[in-house]
Amino acid sequence: MRRLLTLRQEQKLTTRHVRLMAQSLEVTERTVWRWLAAAERDETAAAEPGARAQSKDRFSVTPEVRCLLALWKGNVAAVHRELTARAARGEGDPPPAIPTLHRAIRRDLTPGERAGLAGGERAARKHDVFLTRTRSWRNHVWETDHVQVPVLVDVDGKARRPWITWFTDCSTNAITGVAVTPGHPSRESVLAALRSAVLREDPYGPFGGVPEKVRVDRGKDFLSRTVTAAFDLLDVTVEDLPAYTPHLKGTVEGLNRAVESMFLAALPGYARQPRPGKRSSRPKDEVLLGFEDFTTQLLAWTLWWNTEHRPAPLRGKTPLQAWQDDPTPLRDVPAADLWTFTLEDAGTRTLTTRGIRFRKRDYVGPWMTGQAGIQVRIRFMPHHDHRIEVYHAATGRYLGPADLADQATDEQISAVRRARSARARRLKKDLEASQRERYAAVNQPEAPQRLGALTTAQAEAELAQTADSDLAQLAMPDLIPPAAPPADWRTPASLAALTTPGPPPYGRDGASAPDGRHRRAAPPTTDEDGDAS
């Protein structure tokens, strides 16, 4: 640019020079002529052609502007209106024009800062740069997570979105264990997935064994006492990641995204399917998968992922090939011992002739014959309260299972569930009716006005019905005041005023009852002459 400026000053500049400069800089010829005119006015502009002139009065983003951007979710026009209103009230200088404000924000704030002020930390994280962990060996690190599938599944006649709990190996991208729960997952879901992940026998293998470390994300189910005790017994280190850091367990988070786009989106009942019309609703004739069918298809997709899918980080290998090519020795646990490790300990009990008392219920088993009087230790699977596992308290030897005595039949359980559902529906209907209150629309500031007229007779009838149905309204504790206490008692004056005079009907000295029964003989009294009466 300085060379062109010199040629122009010497009047030797031609159109060919400008055209060659525009082609080399990939700009138009008009832009080059504009840069030359700016360089003639200010020689410092020749060093950085196209750069905006620096001035002391140039507007910069202030902390106030940053706060307003966060308040208005990145809306620059709203920030400009707010600054203008504050300047009109004498609370600051007038803001620059909106284009100037836009340029200052783009210049002084990074894309991540602008996204964070508009959408929060999750939006800002999309502009960050993350390092990739070096791949180690199989079973070095596992990652685990819960994910609610966006697919409606028929569970006992109701449409629900199941949850998946799985473990994945970070070295081979293999899904080592999976468990599906119709409702919200719990520590029982983690233990079931852990058992399927560690066992390598059919139908779980060949992936498995005991890992060295497991990454979790502060989930209360993964950090529960039962799960942490199982990890301790298996000698597994639990790495508790900070909250809101999904990038620190990218293997399982990538699996959560892949299962939706590669498998769940094609299933009937997919909840995020775009649908025509103003409202997105499911077709009435859509047939949902049953829970058993959904679990079958999910396990089949898991098998495909482990044996046929070739993730990009594995460079053309399947997870199974990467697993088999790794010579790292595996640490296995017998199935019987693993079952013991993944049960919750409930302490010791005494085996009586009625069985074992646990949670106010009796559990019995055929092996208990002749064993009454021994001390046993109870272990159980969370939420599976129909059966417990019993061990000898002193030796730790497994004695056998014990089932709930006097367990209700399936018909009784179904009747109880129907009654609970009907009660829940009635309560929901009553709550919805109480919330359906209409208010008058206003165009002036005034108190809210409820709509709906009632006659005096209707109001009295409804209040009378409510009073009759409320048993608390039938109680009248002040109808008969309490009797006065004995004379030798010290009674505050405030309480004595609320009692009736006279002896109490049921005094400590055995005073008579209202019907005259169990009455003691009163002591004889004397008149003025001393004769007994």
Side-chain angles (χ1 to χ4, degrees), residues 455-468:
T455 64
T456 304
Q458 290 175 339
E460 291 179 353
E462 187 169 348
L463 291 175
Q465 183 179 2
T466 304
D468 292 341

Side-chain angles (χ1 to χ4, degrees), residues 114-133:
R114 296 197 299 268
L117 293 174
E121 182 183 359
R122 181 172 296 181
R125 197 182 298 127
K126 296 180 180 179
H127 299 270
D128 293 341
V129 177
F130 305 101
L131 298 176
T132 303
R133 289 190 178 97

Side-chain angles (χ1 to χ4, degrees), residues 149-153 161 257 259-275 281-283 286-289:
V149 300
V151 176
L152 294 175
V153 177
R161 293 174 55 185
R257 294 189 296 268
V259 69
E260 179 175 356
S261 60
M262 301 174 67
F263 169 65
L264 300 175
L267 296 181
Y270 181 60
R272 297 173 184 168
Q273 183 72 30
R275 306 182 188 278
S281 58
R282 284 193 306 112
E286 185 177 20
V287 179
L288 302 179
L289 288 175

Side-chain angles (χ1 to χ4, degrees), residues 86 129 203 284 433 450:
R86 292 185 180 184
V129 177
K284 296 182 179 179
R450 288 188 177 92

Side-chain angles (χ1 to χ4, degrees), residues 152-233:
L152 294 175
V153 177
D154 186 4
V155 180
D156 292 337
K158 294 182 180 180
R160 297 181 181 273
R161 293 174 55 185
W163 287 77
I164 302 176
T165 305
W166 42 27
F167 289 82
T168 179
D169 181 60
C170 296
S171 175
T172 62
N173 283 52
I175 302 175
T176 56
V178 61
V180 188
T181 311
H184 289 280
S186 62
R187 60 188 186 277
E188 184 262 341
S189 307
V190 180
L191 295 176
L194 179 61
R195 279 197 300 273
S196 66
V198 173
L199 291 176
R200 295 198 303 127
E201 56 190 23
D202 291 336
Y204 307 108
F207 307 96
V210 179
E212 298 180 21
K213 182 190 297 184
V214 173
R215 295 194 186 106
V216 299
D217 58 352
R218 290 186 178 271
K220 64 178 183 180
D221 302 326
F222 298 101
L223 298 178
S224 63
R225 182 181 60 183
T226 305
V227 176
T228 53
F231 283 136
D232 291 340
L233 290 173

Side-chain angles (χ1 to χ4, degrees), residues 238-381:
V238 178
E239 183 179 358
D240 184 16
L241 300 176
Y244 305 107
T245 55
H247 58 282
L248 296 181
K249 54 183 184 66
T251 304
V252 71
E253 292 293 342
L255 179 62
N256 292 339
R257 294 189 296 268
V259 69
E260 179 175 356
S261 60
M262 301 174 67
F263 169 65
L264 300 175
L267 296 181
Y270 181 60
R272 297 173 184 168
Q273 183 72 30
R275 306 182 188 278
K278 296 182 179 179
R279 295 186 59 187
S280 58
S281 58
R282 284 193 306 112
K284 296 182 179 179
D285 56 347
E286 185 177 20
V287 179
L288 302 179
L289 288 175
F291 179 73
E292 185 176 357
D293 296 334
F294 171 78
T295 306
T296 302
Q297 295 192 28
L298 177 65
L299 294 179
W301 181 85
T302 303
L303 180 63
W304 171 85
W305 174 277
N306 286 336
T307 58
E308 299 182 25
H309 179 56
R310 302 177 185 272
L314 298 184
R315 299 179 180 180
K317 294 183 179 181
T318 64
L320 178 60
Q321 293 173 347
W323 182 275
Q324 292 175 343
D325 293 344
D326 193 337
T328 305
L330 302 178
R331 187 160 55 101
D332 292 323
V333 177
D337 296 342
L338 182 63
W339 175 260
T340 303
F341 293 159
T342 55
L343 292 177
E344 187 166 339
D345 191 355
T348 59
R349 299 288 193 282
T350 301
L351 178 60
T352 65
T353 56
R354 298 180 55 182
I356 300 174
R357 191 71 173 174
F358 176 58
R359 291 183 176 177
K360 300 181 180 180
R361 295 184 292 185
D362 294 325
Y363 290 81
V364 296
W367 56 270
M368 293 182 180
T369 304
Q371 301 281 352
I374 65 174
Q375 293 288 324
V376 296
R377 179 172 293 276
I378 298 175
R379 294 181 178 271
F380 68 99
M381 174 62 66

